[in-house]
Amino acid sequence: PSRRPSFKGMIFGRVPSDKKEPEAAVSGWVFYCPSSDLSAVLQALGEAGCTRSDLFRFYKASAGKIGSGSFGAVVHATSVSTGAMAAIKYLKDGSRPETVQAEVNMLVRAQGHDKIVKFRGCFYEVEKPNLKWFLVFDVHPYGDLYDRVASCTRMTEK
């Protein structure tokens, strides 16, 4: 069994005097952790829905596209630290932060179900004038659900 990473957090920002809810004015967090735990802490924060800006420090994307849809394209990737396979969903340019956050919130709430692929994190890059968004998942061995359903003439609930 792996040990749980240790870290301490601290909120920074200011609370306007007219605000009754301090979390409404939080600017961000500062985390302290041993450097040996950094990757595990960042992974845990990503899986909890925190947005990160270090995608290509932790994942190496391959040239092959797994699929594409109305929200963007998906490519194979490899975890730099573990070598585990992953899938990176490149969201289309112009994706609004509120829309991305709503998707991330839904993915985080759905985790733990055996029919839901594991969500690894939400990442962004600044490409003026927009933000470029990425979602990372475990690779599912059977591919896209739509392709699986469309390829079958008959399916059971098992």
Side-chain angles (χ1 to χ4, degrees), residues 2-132:
S2 62
R3 73 177 184 83
R4 193 171 178 177
S6 64
F7 64 92
K8 294 181 180 181
M10 172 178 76
I11 299 175
F12 68 90
R14 62 181 186 80
V15 180
S17 58
D18 63 334
K19 297 285 183 186
K20 293 184 180 181
E21 298 179 34
E23 52 278 344
V26 171
S27 298
W29 291 84
V30 174
F31 288 94
Y32 300 94
C33 70
S35 60
S36 60
D37 288 345
L38 181 60
S39 289
V41 168
L42 290 173
Q43 182 173 338
L45 290 170
E47 291 173 5
C50 296
T51 304
R52 298 171 48 189
S53 62
D54 55 354
L55 174 67
F56 298 110
R57 179 176 167 203
F58 288 90
Y59 292 95
K60 180 176 171 57
S62 68
K65 189 189 298 189
I66 297 173
S68 61
S70 59
F71 291 104
V74 180
V75 300
H76 277 289
T78 307
S79 168
V80 172
S81 61
T82 67
M85 293 299 298
I88 300 177
K89 182 178 187 180
Y90 287 69
L91 300 181
K92 286 189 174 176
D93 289 344
S95 294
R96 294 181 17 222
E98 310 82 47
T99 305
V100 174
Q101 192 59 55
E103 169 110 0
V104 168
N105 291 343
M106 182 274 307
L107 289 166
V108 169
R109 282 193 306 271
Q111 291 306 292
H113 190 282
D114 64 341
K115 303 295 186 208
I116 303 292
V117 70
K118 178 75 175 163
F119 173 67
R120 295 292 176 185
C122 175
F123 297 82
Y124 73 93
E125 281 188 348
V126 177
E127 285 189 8
K128 301 208 179 202
N130 299 316
L131 291 177
K132 196 151 191 66

Side-chain angles (χ1 to χ4, degrees), residues 135-157:
L135 302 178
V136 178
F137 303 90
D138 281 353
V139 174
H140 191 278
Y142 300 111
D144 183 84
L145 175 62
Y146 176 80
D147 293 339
R148 174 87 169 124
V149 171
S151 69
C152 296
T153 55
R154 185 172 184 176
M155 293 183 77
T156 66
E157 292 182 21

